[in-house]
């Protein structure tokens, strides 16, 4: 099964994204912060990582993305950022950090599903 | 006083405004001792400068000061900053409570006061601010959630509209396919596809008048035109024979009912299931003298009894290459005469009761351009 990792500090957002993508085609993992995201990325090698940028802790979404993209083990994971509205500057930073695409919250579930299907072919 | 613009602290910042230096110093000491960051200003103007440069949770101000009074300062603060303001008043000061409350002061203190009382009031105000901040944060989070929910609603709506359109398109192509299948079956036999359109409309109209639910009326509308698809299995020599059929040929001809039912059998489609029943039973007669099974009365499925009368009426009133149509009066008379013989009496009654509608259907179908009904190749 294709693997997807959802990274967000808010449980509600993780659950929402998970039910949006749930089906019998994807195996979905959740991470609550940047460190957990890096760990799960290394262990599971998901094809897609949906990464919130603003997260508490010493590893935010940007730093987590940078580490995942700099690690030869995980650099092929596609990272899609989820940035809050009004934090458009995060987008630039995220792309610089190596993110492949971005969504601005509130995100469109249809677009998210299409994007995931597009990446996974 | 010196201020560092970049100074950031988690501790609340309190600003004391008084023209008397002694009072400023005493208050500052008490406030700092209570664990807060404290700035002081000797005038309203100076206070405004500090407010502009530093996030300030609470301003404690005297009323009577040269130049900008405490009341004026209060008005200026409330128009621009989110700070709470505690006003310190002397007994002799010329003020009125209503005015101060209206301008937004959070609390009063009378001179002279116990500095510990000031600290208690500061605590209370800061606790309220924390609660309000928490509430606002909850609101903001709810607002974000709500916006996301709105987005889901919008996408759900879009998805449903897409599905409906796709379903409609699928249904249309399905009905179109049925129509073409029927045309294929009738191709050798009929002049136009008008017959099959009329049979559908007559039968659906009758079913509606007999009290069938809408869904079944629709099924009959699309299923009745398939009543003769079994003719596809009848040899040309019989189907297209100009003269009268021999007894043997007629026996073969009769098999179009069972052939049709077989072609339409075992479908999951309600329409095709209804069509199967119709194909098999539309030549049965109320008196049991029909075919292929020779069943009678209520043994014959209702849809068969309905299509039977529609089929005969249409045959009687349509022009064929080898015959002119019967006059309408004759057709009606024949049907009346077969009440309880060939036809179910109840269906005959309903049919005759609504004969005007049947004639209207006939007229309407005649108006349709033949090309839109039957895609026949150009005659050679």
């Amino acid at each position: 099964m294709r693997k997807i990792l959802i990274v967000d500090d808010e449980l509600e957002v993780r659950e929402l994204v998970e039910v949006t993508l749930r089906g019998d085609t994807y195996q979905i993992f959740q991470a609550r912060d940047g460190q957990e995201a890096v760990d799960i990325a290394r262990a599971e090698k998901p094809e897609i990582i949906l990464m919130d940028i603003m997260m508490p802790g010493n590893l935010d979404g940007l730093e987590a993305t940078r580490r995942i993209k700099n690690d030869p083990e995980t650099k092929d994971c596609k990272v899609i950022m989820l940035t809050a509205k009004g934090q458009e500057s995060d987008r630039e930073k995220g792309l610089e950090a190596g993110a492949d695409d971005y969504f601005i919250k509130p995100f469109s579930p249809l677009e998210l599903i299409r994007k995931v299907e597009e990446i996974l072919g | 006083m010196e201020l560092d613009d970049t100074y950031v602290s988690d501790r609340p910042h309190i600003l004391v405004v008084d023209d008397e230096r002694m009072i400023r110093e005493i208050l500052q000491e008490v406030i700092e001792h209570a664990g807060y960051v404290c700035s002081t200003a000797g005038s309203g103007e100076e206070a405004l400068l500090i407010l502009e440069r530093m996030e300030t949770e609470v301003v404690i101000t005297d009323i009577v000061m040269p130049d900008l009074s405490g009341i004026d300062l209060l008005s200026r603060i409330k128009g621009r900053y989110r700070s709470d303001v505690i006003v310190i008043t002397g007994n002799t000061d010329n003020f009125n409570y209503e005015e101060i409350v209206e301008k937004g002061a959070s609390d009063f203190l009378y001179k002279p006061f116990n500095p510990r009382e000031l600290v208690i009031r500061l605590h209370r105000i800061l606790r309220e601010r924390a609660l309000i901040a928490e509430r606002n944060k909850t609101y903001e989070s709810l607002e974000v959630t709500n916006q996301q929910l709105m987005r889901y609603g919008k996408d759900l709506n879009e998805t449903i509209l897409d599905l409906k359109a796709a379903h409609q398109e699928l249904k249309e192509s399905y009905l179109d396919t049925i129509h073409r299948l029927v045309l294929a079956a009738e191709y050798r036999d009929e002049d136009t596809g008008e017959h099959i359109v009329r049979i559908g409309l007559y039968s659906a109209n009758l079913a509606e008048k007999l009290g069938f639910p809408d869904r079944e009326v629709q099924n009959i509308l699309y299923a009745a035109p398939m009543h003769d698809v079994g003719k596809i299995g009848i040899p040309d020599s019989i189907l297209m024979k100009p003269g009268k059929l021999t007894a043997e040929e007629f026996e073969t001809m009769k098999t179009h009912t069972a052939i049709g039912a077989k072609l339409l059998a075992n479908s999951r489609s309600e329409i095709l299931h209804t069509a199967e029943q119709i194909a098999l039973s539309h030549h049965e007669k109320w008196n049991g003298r029909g075919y292929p099974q020779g069943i009678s009365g209520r043994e014959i499925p209702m849809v068969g009894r309905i299509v039977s009368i529609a089929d005969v009426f249409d045959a009687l009133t349509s022009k064929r290459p080898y015959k002119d149509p019967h006059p309408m009066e004759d057709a009606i008379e024949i049907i009346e005469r077969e009440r309880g013989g060939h036809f179910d009496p109840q269906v005959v009654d309903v049919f005759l009761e609504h004969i005007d509608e049947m004639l209207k259907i006939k007229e309407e179908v005649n108006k349709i351009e033949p090309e839109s009904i039957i895609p026949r190749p150009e005659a050679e």
Side-chain angles (χ1 to χ4, degrees), chain B residues 78-351:
Chain B
K78 285 295 153 185
R80 197 181 161 99
Y81 307 101
R82 293 193 194 147
S83 316
D84 278 281
V85 179
I86 299 176
V87 174
I88 298 171
T89 67
N91 279 332
T92 54
D93 291 347
N94 181 21
F95 71 96
N96 94 47
Y97 286 114
E98 284 79 8
E99 192 188 351
I100 296 174
V101 169
E102 222 167 77
K103 286 191 158 54
S106 305
D107 212 340
F108 301 98
L109 269 178
Y110 297 101
K111 276 193 266 192
F113 56 84
N114 181 341
R116 285 175 59 197
E117 190 183 338
L118 174 67
V119 170
I120 287 168
R121 294 185 183 220
L122 261 180
H123 273 316
R124 179 183 60 76
I125 287 175
L126 288 167
R127 197 169 58 239
E128 278 173 11
R129 288 179 68 89
L131 286 173
I132 289 169
E134 200 174 309
R135 190 199 63 187
N136 289 347
K137 209 178 147 202
T138 307
Y139 278 162
E140 271 170 39
S141 153
L142 276 177
E143 179 57 27
V144 168
T145 308
N146 190 43
Q147 280 179 9
Q148 186 63 66
L149 198 60
M150 292 290 285
R151 198 58 226 245
Y152 268 76
K154 188 169 165 278
D155 278 20
L156 180 63
N157 186 268
E158 203 177 295
T159 307
I160 287 171
L161 290 178
D162 283 353
L163 278 175
K164 274 188 181 164
H167 181 257
Q168 185 59 28
E169 198 188 317
L170 199 61
K171 188 180 171 191
E172 277 167 18
S173 64
Y174 168 64
L175 294 175
D176 189 41
T177 306
I178 287 180
H179 183 67
R180 283 160 201 267
L181 169 72
V182 173
L183 290 175
E186 302 268 332
Y187 198 66
R188 295 171 298 163
D189 190 27
E190 295 286 333
D191 274 10
T192 68
E194 290 173 12
H195 166 65
I196 58 173
V197 173
R198 282 193 302 262
I199 296 295
L201 291 170
Y202 292 149
S203 304
N205 194 284
L206 266 171
E208 192 195 337
K209 296 297 183 293
L210 285 160
F212 277 58
D214 286 354
R215 195 182 169 89
E216 285 181 41
V217 171
Q218 284 290 307
N219 287 346
I220 291 168
L221 173 66
Y222 300 119
M226 290 181 258
H227 65 291
D228 271 344
V229 286
K231 283 185 178 173
I232 210 161
I234 306 299
D236 285 356
S237 58
I238 297 172
L239 189 71
M240 299 166 83
K241 187 177 175 181
K244 207 169 160 40
L245 298 178
T246 65
E248 200 185 329
E249 285 167 341
F250 190 58
E251 283 310 307
T252 306
M253 187 65 190
K254 283 177 178 179
T255 62
H256 82 272
T257 51
I259 293 170
K262 205 173 162 189
L263 285 172
L264 297 164
N266 302 321
S267 172
R268 281 169 59 193
S269 154
E270 279 178 36
I271 294 177
L272 293 189
H273 182 70
T274 304
E276 178 194 355
Q277 282 189 306
I278 291 171
L280 190 65
S281 63
H282 73 284
H283 281 294
E284 300 290 357
K285 293 184 180 177
W286 185 254
N287 58 16
R289 292 187 193 157
Y291 64 86
Q293 300 177 92
I295 49 179
S296 65
R298 295 185 194 286
E299 283 179 295
I300 309 165
M302 192 58 166
V303 285
R305 287 179 256 155
I306 289 172
V307 175
S308 159
I309 196 165
D311 193 25
V312 170
F313 176 72
D314 196 62
L316 290 171
T317 55
S318 301
K319 186 174 159 46
R320 294 287 167 91
Y322 49 87
K323 72 165 183 68
D324 283 329
H326 285 262
M328 191 54 63
E329 297 74 28
D330 292 4
I332 291 170
E333 200 197 312
I334 291 167
I335 286 170
E336 263 177 337
R337 201 166 55 218
E338 289 296 336
R339 184 181 186 280
H342 189 153
F343 306 121
D344 177 349
Q346 189 200 354
V347 181
V348 169
D349 291 346
V350 172
F351 182 84

Side-chain angles (χ1 to χ4, degrees), chain B residues 1 3 7 9 11-17 24 27-41 47 50-51 54-61 83-86 88 118-119 121-123 125-127 129:
Chain B
M1 67 172 284
L3 277 174
Y7 178 76
S9 168
R11 291 184 295 162
H13 173 230
I14 316 297
L15 172 59
V16 172
V17 191
R24 291 202 301 272
L27 293 183
Q28 182 170 29
E29 201 188 319
V30 170
I31 289 165
E32 283 177 348
H33 187 254
Y36 305 123
V37 178
C38 186
S39 308
T40 59
I50 293 172
L51 283 163
M54 251 181 117
E55 175 85 30
T56 303
E57 275 76 16
V58 183
V59 178
I60 300 164
T61 182
S83 316
D84 278 281
V85 179
I86 299 176
I88 298 171
L118 174 67
V119 170
R121 294 185 183 220
L122 261 180
H123 273 316
I125 287 175
L126 288 167
R127 197 169 58 239
R129 288 179 68 89

